[in-house]
Amino acid sequence: SEEDNKIVGVCFGTYNVKEKWADLLGLAVAPDFRNKSVGSSLIKEFESFVKKNKLGTIDLYADRKQIQLFRNLNYKEGRNS
């Protein structure tokens, strides 16, 4: 995510189209831009990529500060089958 030509947030992961999974490995937002929907927007972009490529699951690797953000976006802890 950019503002005034500066990167203020990143979201990165990996995926396997054949096995239909994605891993969201990291999310970082500059302190001055936290709680301004930057992280949510980045996650939604990742979700769009996953849907577009018909991947079945997203596994998260989140720190304690990010857990509430993912809960707010309806992610659940643990593996759902």
Side-chain angles (χ1 to χ4, degrees), residues 20-24 43 46-47 50 55-60 75:
K20 300 191 179 294
W21 57 259
D23 288 342
L24 198 159
I43 294 165
F46 190 82
E47 290 172 340
V50 168
L55 305 175
T57 62
I58 299 175
D59 288 331
L60 303 174
Y75 281 80

Side-chain angles (χ1 to χ4, degrees), residues 28-42:
V29 177
D32 290 346
F33 293 89
R34 292 178 186 159
N35 299 310
K36 296 182 180 180
S37 298
V38 173
S40 297
S41 295
L42 290 167

Side-chain angles (χ1 to χ4, degrees), residues 4-70:
D4 296 327
N5 293 321
K6 293 181 181 180
I7 296 174
V8 298
V10 295
C11 174
F12 57 93
T14 188
Y15 62 96
N16 183 309
V17 174
K18 185 177 178 182
E19 296 180 14
K20 300 191 179 294
W21 57 259
D23 288 342
L24 198 159
L25 300 172
L27 174 68
V29 177
D32 290 346
F33 293 89
R34 292 178 186 159
N35 299 310
K36 296 182 180 180
S37 298
V38 173
S40 297
S41 295
L42 290 167
I43 294 165
K44 288 176 183 176
E45 285 289 325
F46 190 82
E47 290 172 340
S48 293
F49 175 85
V50 168
K51 287 177 186 174
K52 178 182 170 187
N53 287 282
K54 299 178 180 161
L55 305 175
T57 62
I58 299 175
D59 288 331
L60 303 174
Y61 298 85
D63 65 26
R64 292 185 186 272
K65 293 178 185 178
Q66 297 168 342
I67 289 173
Q68 190 58 48
L69 169 63
F70 288 111

